[in-house]
């Protein structure tokens, strides 16, 4: 009786031995469009929120600055006093701050509406729009910070005076005026911080989009 091995041709053994299962490499994970759109939507929502905060703080600072005028009787001699009004318009720094706050409020309305419309799009805010936001937000941040610092410096002199320049403090007489101007400057500082956060957020979102290209 012939063995089973003799019935199999020699070339069949070679074919069997060559049939080694090959490991196929898994395809690289592809980026999910749904996940990318979700992240872009979140960034757009946060962007809208901070632009609403920017609008609220800017308008509140404008109102406090405009209503800060205070009229008091200033004694100039025994039994003689004259009426004097403390106005924010007496200081160019405060006028500059008012103009900057007005610009920030208008800018927040325009960009906030643009961000809301971007939320309605499937892909969210475009890369080009985010780039423009970063540029203009950074520019307005510098202007706002400069105006806030200048107005704060003038207000500090009004609060503490300057003996070297013989500038007397006025906040002991115009207390309401100083409180309202100080609150306006504090809100302007909050607006500056909000713009800084907007720059950070849009820069981060822009970097994530560029990394996926």
């Amino acid at each position: 009786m012939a063995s089973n091995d003799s019935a199999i041709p020699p070339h069949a053994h070679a074919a069997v031995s060559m049939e080694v299962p090959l490991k196929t490499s898994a395809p690289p994970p592809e980026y999910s469009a749904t996940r990318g759109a979700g992240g872009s939507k979140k960034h757009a929502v946060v962007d809208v929120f901070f632009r609403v905060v920017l609008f609220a703080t800017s308008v509140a600072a404008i109102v406090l600055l405009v209503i800060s005028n205070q009229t008091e009787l200033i004694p100039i001699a025994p039994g003689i006093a004259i009426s004097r009004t403390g106005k924010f318009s007496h200081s160019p720094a405060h006028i500059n701050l008012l103009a900057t706050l007005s610009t920030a409020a208008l800018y927040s309305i325009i960009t906030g509406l643009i961000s809301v419309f971007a939320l309605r799009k499937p892909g969210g805010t475009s890369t080009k729009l985010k780039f423009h936001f970063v540029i203009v937000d950074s520019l307005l941040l510098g202007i706002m910070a400069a105006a806030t610092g200048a107005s704060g410096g003038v207000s500090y002199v009004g609060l503490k005076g300057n003996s070297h320049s013989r500038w007397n403090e006025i906040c002991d007489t115009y207390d309401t005026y100083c409180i309202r101007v100080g609150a306006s400057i504090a809100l302007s500082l909050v607006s500056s911080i909000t713009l800084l956060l907007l720059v950070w957020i849009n820069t981060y979102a822009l970097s994530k989009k560029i990394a996926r290209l």
Side-chain angles (χ1 to χ4, degrees), residues 154-176:
V154 172
S155 299
Y156 182 81
V157 173
L159 177 64
K160 298 293 186 179
N162 191 324
S163 59
H164 302 286
S165 302
R166 296 184 180 181
W167 292 341
N168 297 327
E169 64 274 8
I170 63 171
C171 289
D172 54 346
T173 303
Y174 299 98
D175 51 349
T176 303

Side-chain angles (χ1 to χ4, degrees), residues 112-136:
L113 290 175
I114 293 175
S115 296
V116 170
F117 290 144
L119 281 172
R120 303 171 63 90
K121 296 181 179 180
T125 309
S126 65
T127 304
K128 184 177 181 180
L129 183 60
K130 287 185 182 297
F131 177 76
H132 289 160
F133 276 172
V134 170
I135 296 298
V136 184

Side-chain angles (χ1 to χ4, degrees), residues 36-52:
S40 182
K41 291 285 185 181
K42 290 179 182 178
H43 289 139
V45 170
V46 174
D47 183 87
V48 171
F49 170 75
F50 279 113
R51 294 190 188 280
V52 171

Side-chain angles (χ1 to χ4, degrees), residues 67-152:
I67 66 173
S68 63
N69 298 348
Q70 182 182 0
T71 302
E72 294 291 338
L73 292 174
I74 308 298
I76 59 174
I80 301 176
I82 58 176
S83 177
R84 286 289 182 267
T85 302
K87 298 181 179 180
F88 78 92
S89 57
H90 291 165
S91 171
H94 295 338
I95 296 175
N96 181 38
L97 179 63
L98 179 66
T100 304
L101 288 170
S102 301
T103 303
L106 178 61
Y107 173 75
S108 64
I109 294 174
I110 296 173
T111 54
L113 290 175
I114 293 175
S115 296
V116 170
F117 290 144
L119 281 172
R120 303 171 63 90
K121 296 181 179 180
T125 309
S126 65
T127 304
K128 184 177 181 180
L129 183 60
K130 287 185 182 297
F131 177 76
H132 289 160
F133 276 172
V134 170
I135 296 298
V136 184
D137 288 349
S138 301
L139 177 62
L140 186 57
L141 170 60
I143 298 174
M144 178 68 76
T148 303
S151 187

